[in-house]
Amino acid sequence: MTSRPKIITTFAVSKIIQPIYTGGDAGLSRNGQVLVTCLGEEALLTNLDTGQLLARVEGDGEVLTALLVTPSVSHLITCSRSLSMRVYSLEPSNDSPELLNPVLQRTLKPHTTPVITAAVDRTGTLLATGGADGVIKVWDINGGYVTHTFRGHAGVISALHFFEAHESVVQSRTSTKQRRKSQRLQEDDDCDGHTVGAEEKEGSALKFYLASGSEDGKIRIWDLIKRKAIITLDSHVSVVRSLCFSREQNALLSGSRDKTAIIWEPRTWKAMKVVPVLEGLETAGFLSTGEFFYTGGESNILRIWETETGREVTKEQVVGTEDSGILHILYNSSLDFLVTVHTNQTLVIHSLVPLLTLQFGGKLDPLPILRHLSGTHDEIIDLSYVTQGRELLALATNSEDIRLVSLAARTDTISSATGQYFGADVALLQGHEDIIICLDVDWSGCWLATGAKDNTARLWRIDHMNQSYESFAVFTGHAESLGAISLPNQPPPVGSTAHSNPLDHPPSFLLTGSQDRTVKRWEVVPKSIVKGDKRNPRAIYTRKAHDKDINAIATNHNSTLFASASQDRTVKIWAVEEGEVQGVLRGHRRGVWSVKFAAKETPPITGDSGPASSSRGLVLTGSGDKTVKIWSLSDYSCLRTLEGHTNSVLKVIWMPLSQHNNDTEVQEPSRHRGVQIASAGGDGLVKIWDANSGECDCTLDNHTDRVWALTVNPSDSTVISGGGDSVVTFWKDTTSSTIAASAAASTARVEQEQQLQNYIHHGSYREAITLALQLNHPARLLALLTTVVNTNPPEPTSLSGLLAVDDVLQHLADEQLFTLLLRLRDWNTNARTAPVAQRILWVLAKSYPATRLAGLKGRGKGSGLKDVLDGLRAYTERHYKRMEELVDESYLVDYTLREMEAVGFVDEDIAMTGVAA
């Protein structure tokens, strides 16, 4: 019986959904396309339209305290707790014009304390930094030097803002006599019927100013030309968090944590309007021409106000929770949207279009949300495909909400308004009051079930076509948090209404398992039947299932059996209808974290004790004892135990038996691979196993924390893993391409080897040596060169013995030359091959200048020219020493022969006769 050929299983990372923001500063380019965010000690630049990562800037090991980008995206500035400030120039990448290549220009130490806030002017040439020491410095970004240093604040600098204004509209600190004289002149001009207008304003000089706010509530206006403070504004009683100037309104806006926003008039620097916003502000700024301004703070709501009246134009909104709030609002006057950055590490894009039609005195609904951006998904506990076309991914992210993420391919027609690119947030399913622990989907992907720590389960209806994602039913009855949930996965008959229209036909039942050690089967009744009835779904039965927490529940292919896995180290098989135990799987030494039934068409597998029947089905389990076990439902015995993880096995799945693609080349490897399973562990690894042999086919490593979630796309065998590092990795099955590439490489190598034999046979040394170097055949290359060196007689004027070989050796590429030197080093270690090595080395030394040889570099570490020459020198000295010893011994032989000639020899025939006698 012939054995099945070994098929090498390979997977490669095709896509990644990873964090882009974990708190701190954020910035937006002038055109609204480039988003700059902090990711711990790193800075990320992301295309806001497509979600593509443009560049990643590594930090210095300390958390970033300030981050900003110039409006034209020409420079990036980062400041960290290490007291360093780095300035990067952003240039288009050579690999792709869409990407950016950050080039470090300089590293500076701007302050003796960490930089708390920073700002750039509209031209992107000046940078202001404010430290915890109360000092403000203005820098030339291109030159890297300080242009101004301002002192005067008593506390931490909390806000900075560059602005430009005409000298005639900004009043500096002058004496009382000068102010009165100026007022009299103004009155005289008014009496003459002449007022200061745009002409005087335009005729006056445009001056540059810097506004700064500190934690003592004071605001200072600095004249960058005169290099001094022209006024100190002292009306806030808490930290000033935001400053913004509007040239159209000729007003300065300040927002503070004292729950007020103040509009200042630059002529007199008096407060024109004090707006009580009744919340601690973190950010405020003017919109467009300055007719409106926005505020955001601890209430976690975006509010719009009229500048002239100080009236809020947005209707009353629901205040957020205590742990939520708005940190930043990113906006540029040329944009029709703004981005709010929240403390829960999410970014929300709001449309400003409704402001264009707002009438005077009218009220405005909260600005419509274009889309959400998740800065980080936190710890991913569970995930699954949803919708019939598997267009969305549902994520349970250590929160009370389910995030639906788009899996659409990236296109060029995407805009900030649609946001339907790969990895974009599509919807947020809100309803649970505590962290969601588990989720499951039915056969169609239109119904999603979730279980949470609030002791409830929910069934969600996913209608992606109509953008409808609603909670269908709530299941209440468990005494403790839910840790396991399962829906039936048996599709209805083809042609039935339930099969053609699954949105109107919810699953018939729901199974849940809880920390209260019970399992419940719930009846799911369509809303059309209970219309007008507000009763909650009822539990058909409740069973005391285990002695400890229940971690997982799975239903078999025809919804007749279900399995429950528990921390009590057992897995129980139940009848769905009666709720009676059919069998118990014992053998794990720790709690069981995951359980899965095999598909109906799964063939029999070979267990540790021989072939086993799979007529009744197979069950797969993963445990805290670091093992994966395959069980037979025929006798509830363990068929095979798979060992390889170095930590708890947290998730197990069966791999698809075949891929449903039209390309037969893609289907062929999957048919020959047999039954495979995948497991995810606390060691951060995903392993693909051969169920028949028990061997690990491949190990997938892209996570830095434990992998909690694992699923697979049955159409193309793409494996998706999610872990505690907030990363979702898509593993593409590259087995087919690997086999094809391996076969093509083998064919090409056989052809080249045959060609090499032909060259040797015909004496084409030039082509043979070149091909031997290319194929990396040291033995054949040595045989070729030995033949050349031993050519008798050698060709005249030839260094190696043949002029054609001399020509080949004199025209080698750097890589070929270095490879040949490596071979000479190896041959030189053997006394039998050393003469050939020395001869060829002499040819190379005669053929190439020393500068050419000195510039050779190897690919691997420790394979430089110096190492090669050291190896050649060591054995060459040994060979010369051996030759010197042979020469010395030859003198003794000569002496012995001469002495024997002097004594004389007895005739050989006589000597032989004597010996015979």
Side-chain angles (χ1 to χ4, degrees):
M1 180 177 178
T2 59
S3 60
R4 178 173 58 90
K6 175 66 175 178
I7 301 295
I8 300 176
T9 302
T10 59
F11 284 80
V13 177
S14 60
K15 299 175 183 177
I16 298 176
I17 300 176
Q18 56 189 345
I20 62 171
Y21 177 71
T22 55
D25 279 350
L28 190 65
S29 63
R30 182 185 289 118
N31 59 8
Q33 290 186 351
V34 179
L35 175 68
V36 183
T37 53
C38 293
L39 186 64
E41 64 183 58
E42 297 180 336
L44 267 62
L45 290 90
T46 308
N47 189 315
L48 192 60
D49 291 341
T50 64
Q52 182 181 14
L53 181 63
L54 302 178
R56 180 187 295 267
V57 180
E58 295 184 358
D60 56 5
E62 295 289 342
V63 176
L64 296 180
T65 58
L67 172 69
L68 66 164
V69 65
T70 56
S72 61
V73 199
S74 61
H75 292 83
L76 176 73
I77 298 96
T78 63
C79 303
S80 70
R81 286 184 182 176
S82 63
L83 308 183
S84 68
M85 179 175 72
R86 295 184 176 184
V87 180
Y88 297 86
S89 63
L90 301 176
E91 304 171 355
S93 174
N94 296 328
D95 300 332
S96 174
E98 299 177 354
L99 305 180
L100 295 175
N101 180 30
V103 179
L104 179 62
Q105 285 191 329
R106 55 185 58 88
T107 301
L108 306 169
K109 184 179 180 181
H111 297 266
T112 57
T113 57
V115 175
I116 303 302
T117 184
V120 293
D121 71 332
R122 66 177 183 84
T123 64
T125 58
L126 293 180
L127 166 70
T129 58
D133 53 3
V135 178
I136 301 169
K137 291 185 179 182
V138 181
W139 304 77
D140 184 288
I141 295 179
N142 292 318
Y145 54 85
V146 177
T147 60
H148 303 73
T149 300
F150 299 126
R151 293 180 173 85
H153 285 288
V156 176
I157 306 300
S158 56
L160 291 170
H161 179 68
F162 285 100
F163 68 94
E164 304 168 14
H166 291 275
E167 188 175 9
S168 60
V169 300
V170 177
Q171 176 69 42
S172 61
R173 183 190 297 150
T174 57
S175 64
T176 305
K177 184 177 181 180
Q178 289 176 331
R179 288 200 301 270
R180 289 176 179 175
K181 182 178 179 180
S182 177
Q183 292 174 1
R184 285 198 304 269
L185 292 175
Q186 181 68 29
E187 292 173 358
D188 293 342
D189 290 338
D190 294 341
C191 293
D192 294 338
H194 179 72
T195 58
V196 177
E199 295 180 358
E200 281 88 347
K201 192 182 297 184
E202 293 177 0
S204 60
L206 188 66
K207 302 192 68 174
F208 298 89
Y209 301 91
L210 175 66
S212 62
S214 67
E215 65 177 2
D216 58 5
K218 294 182 179 180
I219 301 172
R220 283 180 166 81
I221 309 299
W222 308 88
D223 189 325
L224 297 183
I225 304 299
K226 298 180 180 179
R227 298 175 177 270
K228 64 177 183 179
I230 61 174
I231 195 71
T232 300
L233 310 178
D234 190 5
S235 291
H236 288 292
V237 295
S238 186
V239 181
V240 178
R241 291 293 297 137
S242 185
L243 294 166
C244 185
F245 184 82
S246 172
R247 290 182 61 184
E248 292 81 3
Q249 298 296 320
N250 190 30
L252 177 70
L253 173 67
S254 62
S256 171
R257 288 179 180 170
D258 62 5
K259 304 183 179 182
T260 64
I262 301 178
I263 302 175
W264 306 86
E265 200 277 317
R267 289 182 180 276
T268 59
W269 286 118
K270 292 184 178 179
M272 295 171 51
K273 189 74 63 178
V274 178
V275 182
V277 296
L278 304 180
E279 66 167 324
L281 292 183
E282 293 295 327
T283 180
F286 287 107
L287 290 172
S288 187
T289 58
E291 296 179 0
F292 302 96
F293 68 90
Y294 59 80
T295 60
E298 61 186 9
S299 297
N300 198 37
I301 55 177
L302 173 62
R303 304 163 75 183
I304 307 297
W305 309 76
E306 279 186 350
T307 302
E308 184 178 353
T309 62
R311 179 181 64 90
E312 184 180 2
V313 299
T314 48
K315 296 180 181 179
E316 186 176 356
Q317 305 173 58
V318 178
V319 178
T321 58
E322 295 180 358
D323 58 345
S324 62
I326 296 178
L327 290 176
H328 311 284
I329 295 180
L330 311 179
Y331 171 73
N332 285 309
S333 58
S334 61
L335 304 177
D336 60 355
F337 66 89
L338 56 78
V339 182
T340 56
V341 183
H342 299 256
T343 55
N344 60 358
Q345 300 170 350
T346 61
L347 295 85
V348 183
I349 302 178
H350 302 262
S351 174
L352 297 175
V353 174
L355 283 176
L356 301 177
T357 58
L358 180 64
Q359 297 181 355
F360 181 78
K363 277 286 187 177
L364 187 71
D365 290 329
L367 294 181
I369 295 176
L370 299 178
R371 57 190 171 97
H372 288 80
L373 297 176
S374 296
T376 176
H377 291 299
D378 202 356
E379 189 170 2
I380 298 173
I381 301 176
D382 206 351
L383 55 81
S384 181
Y385 282 105
V386 290
T387 73
Q388 287 182 285
R390 301 184 184 88
E391 300 164 329
L392 302 179
L393 189 68
L395 301 177
T397 59
N398 200 27
S399 67
E400 61 273 11
D401 304 325
I402 289 290
R403 292 176 180 172
L404 299 183
V405 177
S406 173
L407 300 181
R410 185 177 289 120
T411 63
D412 297 332
T413 59
I414 295 172
S415 65
S416 299
T418 59
Q420 295 300 311
Y421 57 82
F422 178 83
D425 287 7
V426 174
L428 200 65
L429 306 185
Q430 297 178 324
H432 284 288
E433 298 177 356
D434 208 336
I435 296 175
I436 297 173
I437 300 296
C438 53
L439 58 84
D440 192 26
V441 294
D442 70 336
W443 67 272
S444 67
C446 298
W447 297 93
L448 174 69
T450 56
K453 285 187 175 181
D454 59 3
N455 305 348
T456 66
R458 284 179 178 264
L459 184 64
W460 306 84
R461 182 177 181 270
I462 311 297
D463 185 3
H464 184 50
M465 184 68 68
N466 298 316
Q467 301 293 309
S468 173
Y469 316 96
E470 60 178 359
S471 176
F472 182 83
V474 181
F475 305 87
T476 305
H478 280 289
E480 295 188 41
S481 63
L482 275 72
I485 198 165
S486 180
L487 289 172
N489 50 23
Q490 181 184 15
V494 178
S496 63
T497 56
H499 188 277
S500 59
N501 190 13
L503 286 169
D504 294 336
H505 297 80
S508 58
F509 66 89
L510 175 71
L511 295 168
T512 58
S514 169
Q515 287 185 358
D516 61 11
R517 305 170 189 177
T518 64
V519 293
K520 291 178 180 286
R521 179 187 171 187
W522 306 84
E523 179 185 15
V524 180
V525 181
K527 286 188 176 180
S528 59
I529 299 178
V530 295
K531 191 173 182 179
D533 187 2
K534 301 298 183 182
R535 66 184 177 86
N536 292 327
R538 65 183 183 89
I540 299 176
Y541 58 74
T542 301
R543 298 289 185 266
K544 174 68 167 61
H546 293 273
D547 298 329
K548 291 185 179 180
D549 298 351
I550 299 174
N551 294 327
I553 284 183
T555 310
N556 72 339
H557 64 275
N558 56 9
S559 301
T560 58
L561 299 175
F562 75 91
S564 61
S566 170
Q567 283 294 109
D568 63 4
R569 299 176 292 180
T570 64
V571 175
K572 292 186 178 181
I573 309 300
W574 305 74
V576 171
E577 291 297 328
E578 300 83 9
E580 300 296 333
V581 177
Q582 305 296 303
V584 181
L585 310 181
R586 292 186 176 90
H588 282 294
R589 300 186 301 275
R590 296 284 180 90
V592 184
W593 284 102
S594 182
V595 60
K596 286 290 180 182
F597 283 93
K600 178 182 179 181
E601 60 273 12
T602 303
I605 68 170
T606 302
D608 294 332
S609 58
S613 173
S614 60
S615 57
R616 292 198 59 189
L618 301 172
V619 173
L620 181 66
T621 59
S623 168
D625 60 8
K626 310 175 188 178
T627 64
V628 178
K629 289 181 180 289
I630 303 175
W631 308 80
S632 172
L633 293 181
S634 300
D635 54 1
Y636 305 105
S637 63
C638 178
L639 300 179
R640 187 172 293 279
T641 300
L642 311 177
E643 298 179 344
H645 283 284
T646 58
N647 209 323
S648 300
V649 179
L650 304 175
K651 199 77 171 183
V652 292
I653 57 174
W654 294 89
M655 295 294 292
L657 296 175
S658 61
Q659 299 175 0
H660 308 288
N661 289 341
N662 296 327
D663 186 3
T664 57
E665 293 182 358
V666 178
Q667 298 177 11
E668 190 67 22
S670 61
R671 287 201 295 263
H672 286 292
R673 279 196 305 230
V675 181
Q676 287 184 317
I677 60 178
S679 62
D683 51 10
L685 301 177
V686 176
K687 290 181 178 289
I688 309 296
W689 307 83
D690 187 325
N692 285 287
S693 65
E695 297 179 357
C696 179
D697 287 341
C698 63
T699 299
L700 315 181
D701 185 6
N702 191 51
H703 293 275
T704 58
D705 203 342
R706 62 184 62 190
V707 181
W708 286 103
L710 195 66
T711 190
V712 63
N713 189 337
S715 62
D716 58 6
S717 295
T718 297
V719 176
I720 306 180
S721 59
D725 54 0
S726 306
V727 174
V728 179
T729 305
F730 292 74
W731 302 92
K732 180 181 179 181
D733 187 355
T734 59
T735 302
S736 302
S737 57
T738 301
I739 293 175
S742 177
S746 300
T747 302
R749 190 170 186 86
V750 169
E751 293 176 354
Q752 289 178 333
E753 289 181 353
Q754 182 60 47
Q755 191 176 18
L756 177 60
Q757 293 288 354
N758 296 337
Y759 287 148
I760 296 174
H761 179 72
H762 292 92
S764 301
Y765 294 108
R766 175 196 296 271
E767 292 79 3
I769 292 175
T770 303
L771 190 56
L773 285 171
Q774 179 182 346
L775 295 177
N776 194 20
H777 279 314
R780 292 183 179 176
L781 182 61
L782 175 61
L784 280 170
L785 294 177
T786 302
T787 304
V788 172
V789 170
N790 295 331
T791 301
N792 192 18
E795 295 183 359
T797 69
S798 173
L799 299 177
S800 63
L802 293 176
L803 292 174
V805 175
D806 291 349
D807 185 62
V808 173
L809 297 178
Q810 291 169 1
H811 295 86
L812 294 175
D814 286 351
E815 184 178 355
Q816 293 175 329
L817 183 57
F818 191 83
T819 302
L820 181 57
L821 287 174
L822 290 175
R823 300 291 166 256
L824 296 179
R825 180 193 63 181
D826 297 338
W827 299 337
N828 194 48
T829 59
N830 193 317
R832 290 177 296 178
T833 58
V836 178
Q838 291 292 327
R839 180 70 174 272
I840 301 302
L841 181 62
W842 176 71
V843 173
L844 296 179
K846 288 286 187 178
S847 303
Y848 295 97
T851 54
R852 171 76 181 280
L853 296 175
L856 297 177
K857 294 181 180 180
R859 289 185 177 181
K861 185 178 179 181
S863 60
L865 182 65
K866 182 179 182 300
D867 298 322
V868 176
L869 295 180
D870 288 343
L872 285 169
R873 183 180 60 183
Y875 279 92
T876 300
E877 291 176 351
R878 182 179 300 180
H879 294 321
Y880 274 107
K881 183 178 179 181
R882 179 171 53 83
M883 294 174 63
E884 291 175 356
E885 292 176 352
L886 288 175
V887 171
D888 293 342
E889 292 176 357
S890 67
Y891 292 133
L892 179 59
V893 174
D894 290 342
Y895 172 76
T896 303
L897 292 175
R898 286 196 301 269
E899 292 297 323
M900 293 176 66
E901 289 176 354
V903 174
F905 287 103
V906 181
D907 186 73
E908 184 176 355
D909 295 335
I910 300 174
M912 292 298 296
T913 303
V915 172

